[in-house]
Amino acid sequence: MTWLGLLHLILVIVALAVGTVQFLRRPGTRDHRRRGYLFVGALLVSDIIVFGIYEDSQTPGIFHLLAIISLVSLIVATALVRGRTTLGRRMAHAHVMLWSFGGVVAAGLGQGATAIGQAPCPLILATFAVIAGLALRMDFRARLGPG
């Protein structure tokens, strides 16, 4: 593993740990915002690092595409909670962050499959199916409270 790969792995582990805590704790608090900055910062740097890693192939692949999607989702989610926010914007932020966190899990499982010689796409798609189910079942309005 290269030093870029190691740094990427460390940042992703940080994002997974912080993201898990984010979804288990009450949103909208000062601590939530602080953890959010850490989550977004770790993922931003990790996503950028991905573009320097080509150990699995000599050309861009599925993990580079996931990094682009992750970067876009982080920008959108952050923009949704800047300035004056409404309940609708906070709900949209929560949805996008759920998908962003799911993307980290999907990429990790896909990378794990690649490491043992399996195709990454089935695990990535399965993870996104689980995230879609969660997004449909979660009551974001009740979780976020009045806006």
Side-chain angles (χ1 to χ4, degrees):
M1 178 179 292
T2 66
W3 68 272
L4 274 179
L6 180 61
L7 180 57
H8 170 70
L9 178 62
I10 291 167
L11 290 169
V12 168
I13 290 169
V14 167
L16 283 170
V18 171
T20 300
V21 172
Q22 282 295 74
F23 285 107
L24 295 175
R25 300 280 170 88
R26 185 171 164 261
T29 65
R30 181 177 290 139
D31 286 341
H32 178 86
R33 282 189 291 280
R34 288 180 181 153
R35 284 188 305 269
Y37 288 129
L38 181 57
F39 178 81
V40 169
L43 272 187
L44 282 175
V45 175
S46 174
D47 288 340
I48 292 166
I49 287 173
V50 167
F51 299 110
I53 300 173
Y54 292 90
E55 291 178 32
D56 298 329
S57 66
Q58 301 305 317
T59 61
I62 185 71
F63 299 109
H64 298 98
L65 175 62
L66 289 172
I68 291 168
I69 294 168
S70 176
L71 285 168
V72 170
S73 70
L74 290 172
I75 291 166
V76 169
T78 302
L80 284 167
V81 291
R82 302 297 286 169
R84 185 173 176 270
T85 60
T86 62
L87 178 59
R89 287 175 65 110
R90 290 174 35 230
M91 286 174 56
H93 166 79
H95 272 279
V96 175
M97 291 309 287
L98 173 64
W99 283 96
S100 181
F101 179 75
V104 177
V105 173
L109 291 173
Q111 190 62 50
T114 300
I116 61 171
Q118 301 297 313
C121 289
L123 276 176
I124 291 169
L125 292 174
T127 303
F128 284 133
V130 170
I131 296 301
L134 282 173
L136 288 171
R137 304 271 306 147
M138 284 182 74
D139 186 355
F140 288 97
R141 182 177 304 274
R143 182 163 164 73
L144 296 171

